[in-house]
Amino acid sequence: PVLPGLAQPYGILVTGVGGTGVITIGQIIAMAAHVEGRACSVLDMSGLAQKGGPVMSHVRVAEDATHIHSTRVGTGMADLVIGCDVIVTAGRDALSRMGEGRTHAAVNSTQMPTAAFVRNPDWQFPTASSEGEIAQACGRDNLSLVDAGRIATALMGDAIATNMFMLGYAWQKGWVPLSEAALLRAIELNALQVDFNKQAFAWGRVAAHDVEFVLNAAGRNGTSAQVIDFKRTPSLDELVERRVAFLTDYQNAAYARSYRDFVEQVRQRESALGEAGRGLKLSRAVANYLFKLMAYKDEYEVARLHSDPAFRAKIAGMFEGDYKLRFHLAPPLLARRDEKGHLRKQAFGSWMMPAFGVLARLRFLRGTAFDPFGYTGERRQERALIGAYRDTLMRLLSQLTPANLEQVIAVARVPEGIRGYGHVKERHLQDAKLKEAALLAQLGQGSSQAPQSPQSPPDGGKQAA
């Protein structure tokens, strides 16, 4: 790459989440400047939340210390932004440092969960808006987005490689005014996982040169890096086919066929509405939420997912050497309860892997009189939810009109609020039933029959679907 000169102080802003090595990147750049005999200042802004909170490192590099009059990168004065987290990079403070036509930005586009999701389970990651704000601040031609988190994790087996990957990416783009030799020497002087960090830096360079090559390499090395088209919404047929394939593996072909047949009934009834039903919004809602209810995660499903070769391949791609697996589970027939009556998880060793394989092959017992787990209150409740959902939708379909279509869609989406497991799921279920009752009252319908609670007597394991 052709590296920029230093006729005036060069401002670099490193942004990211505390605890992931953001401040280390600023220190590496500063040490590299020192190795080259240049002047440098570093100002780390970590606030009260050093781990998990927004962190920014202001780095200024100059030929002479007399040229650096402020340690903070000024408004619109950043020459380079290394964005290790897209949300922090799209924050007001970071955006204010960018200047359109001046700032180059290399940003990690991998989505990382934030505290907002803990407080609000309906929170959506603002990918498009965040990337759009960064592009507007520095100019779209000056912005490079790379799925560094997933790529670095797949290549290196640890997400901590992401930030060093981003430094290598920005350097190869020609946006870091320091030599490769100086940066590598700074990594050595840091004396922490030297070879690991050098490799991450090198992979970032390769990604800036040929991202497709790196994506292919990441795909061979693990299952984390994928090329996903988020822009095109799948058709209803594609959506149903994916769900049918999943449910076939989950239970069997007959179980999956019952799902497909019900969605098709909804589609035909909605299509009969003419222009009002053209978008098939009701059919899509049913395809999503009937699937959610039918694919409830019970003991057989946990066993199937853990015994899947894809899980083993993912673990093998993340770890090397002699490692041990430990599973934290709360088997309803074995687990103890806490003072509130909730099941307590306990640790199980690697011997669970062959046990998972055996249990997964027994999933044909699910919902039958021979299902040992089917007599628990939670499993009876999950099966009853499927039947109640179908019964409610069938009643509403018989009275479906363009005028009440949106209300029926709202009823079909009620299962979206049923989240979690055990007592957490029970709490969300009660809220969902109250919401459903209110919507049905607006439609002039009685509430659907509530599924049996965990305290209800056994139902003999009959499957509602």
Side-chain angles (χ1 to χ4, degrees), residues 78-81 98-107 134-145 169 173 175:
D79 295 288
L80 168 63
V81 173
M98 303 179 199
E100 186 176 1
R102 172 174 181 155
T103 305
H104 288 94
V107 180
I134 299 169
Q136 184 176 5
C138 66
R140 191 164 295 278
D141 292 339
N142 286 355
L143 171 63
S144 286
L145 295 163
Y169 186 92
K173 286 286 186 180
W175 298 339

Side-chain angles (χ1 to χ4, degrees), residues 180-204:
E180 178 190 16
L183 288 166
L184 293 180
R185 180 56 181 158
I187 291 173
E188 292 172 355
L189 292 172
N190 189 50
L192 184 64
Q193 292 188 295
V194 174
D195 291 339
F196 178 88
N197 284 314
K198 283 184 174 181
Q199 288 182 41
F201 180 86
W203 274 117

Side-chain angles (χ1 to χ4, degrees), residues 74-102:
T75 301
M77 298 297 290
D79 295 288
L80 168 63
V81 173
I82 302 178
C84 302
D85 178 79
V86 67
I87 291 184
V88 177
T89 309
R92 181 182 302 176
D93 195 9
L95 290 175
S96 69
R97 311 295 163 182
M98 303 179 199
E100 186 176 1
R102 172 174 181 155

Side-chain angles (χ1 to χ4, degrees), residues 117-451:
F117 181 74
V118 177
R119 296 191 300 268
N120 177 17
D122 295 317
W123 181 82
Q124 298 292 317
F125 196 94
T127 303
S129 61
S130 297
E131 294 174 357
E133 289 172 352
I134 299 169
Q136 184 176 5
C138 66
R140 191 164 295 278
D141 292 339
N142 286 355
L143 171 63
S144 286
L145 295 163
V146 59
D147 194 2
R150 276 196 290 188
I151 294 173
T153 302
L155 291 170
M156 306 295 296
D158 194 334
I160 202 69
T162 302
N163 295 355
M164 195 61 72
F165 180 97
M166 290 303 303
L167 177 60
Y169 186 92
W171 186 87
Q172 186 64 33
K173 286 286 186 180
W175 298 339
V176 181
L178 299 165
S179 69
E180 178 190 16
L183 288 166
L184 293 180
R185 180 56 181 158
I187 291 173
E188 292 172 355
L189 292 172
N190 189 50
L192 184 64
Q193 292 188 295
V194 174
D195 291 339
F196 178 88
N197 284 314
K198 283 184 174 181
Q199 288 182 41
F201 180 86
W203 274 117
R205 288 189 57 199
V206 178
H209 175 69
D210 188 349
V211 70
E212 290 301 324
F213 173 83
V214 175
L215 284 170
N216 289 334
R220 291 193 299 270
N221 199 51
T223 59
S224 297
Q226 303 175 37
V227 180
I228 300 177
D229 183 2
F230 290 104
K231 297 179 181 179
R232 189 180 72 85
T233 301
S235 68
L236 178 59
D237 287 334
E238 291 172 326
L239 183 67
V240 170
E241 286 306 314
R242 286 207 296 264
R243 302 289 195 259
V244 165
F246 186 96
L247 291 173
T248 301
D249 292 337
Y250 174 89
Q251 181 72 13
N252 53 43
Y255 192 70
R257 188 165 53 250
S258 70
Y259 163 81
R260 185 204 299 271
D261 292 346
F262 190 85
V263 175
E264 184 57 32
Q265 289 184 60
V266 178
R267 185 212 295 258
Q268 292 179 8
R269 185 67 186 88
E270 187 176 15
S271 298
L273 297 179
E275 187 64 27
R278 185 175 180 181
L280 297 177
K281 291 193 294 183
L282 175 59
S283 301
R284 281 183 170 275
V286 173
N288 280 318
Y289 298 114
L290 176 59
F291 169 80
K292 177 179 180 177
L293 295 177
M294 293 181 70
Y296 59 89
K297 192 172 288 184
D298 59 3
E299 292 76 13
Y300 300 109
E301 180 63 357
V302 170
R304 185 183 74 86
L305 294 175
H306 281 90
S307 58
D308 192 315
F311 174 74
R312 296 174 183 267
K314 182 177 181 179
I315 295 297
M318 294 172 64
F319 302 101
E320 297 177 350
D322 185 19
Y323 58 85
K324 295 181 179 180
L325 298 177
R326 190 174 298 274
F327 304 92
H328 295 268
L329 308 168
L333 303 180
L334 300 175
R336 297 178 179 179
R337 296 184 180 271
D338 61 18
E339 61 278 2
K340 296 183 179 179
H342 303 152
L343 294 175
R344 285 181 173 178
K345 289 186 177 181
Q346 57 192 89
F348 296 85
S350 298
W351 63 269
M352 282 299 298
M353 287 300 287
F356 282 143
V358 173
L359 185 57
R361 289 192 291 272
L362 294 176
R363 63 185 179 275
F364 65 89
L365 296 175
R366 179 188 282 125
T368 70
F370 302 101
D371 181 0
F373 308 105
Y375 294 92
T376 65
E378 186 172 357
R379 299 295 166 254
R380 295 198 312 274
Q381 186 180 72
E382 286 165 335
R383 295 195 304 271
L385 279 171
I386 302 169
Y389 185 80
R390 290 172 180 253
D391 291 344
T392 298
L393 264 296
M394 287 305 294
R395 293 203 315 271
L396 295 177
L397 285 177
S398 66
Q399 303 172 24
L400 186 65
T401 66
N404 65 16
L405 177 60
E406 290 300 324
Q407 291 173 297
V408 175
I409 292 173
V411 174
R413 289 175 174 166
V414 164
E416 182 177 22
I418 305 174
R419 300 182 174 97
Y421 304 95
H423 63 280
V424 176
K425 185 173 187 177
E426 177 67 20
R427 184 179 72 247
H428 286 300
L429 174 59
Q430 298 309 316
D431 293 339
K433 296 304 293 183
L434 289 174
K435 179 179 179 180
E436 181 188 63
L439 290 169
L440 292 174
Q442 295 175 13
L443 286 162
Q445 292 274 338
S447 178
S448 59
Q449 184 178 357

Side-chain angles (χ1 to χ4, degrees), residues 22-38:
V22 175
I23 291 176
T24 299
I25 297 299
Q27 293 172 342
I28 293 293
I29 295 172
M31 180 55 69
H34 177 72
V35 169
E36 288 195 344
R38 291 177 170 175

Side-chain angles (χ1 to χ4, degrees), residues 46-57:
S46 58
L48 297 176
Q50 294 186 13
K51 288 188 180 295
V55 173
M56 288 191 292
S57 186

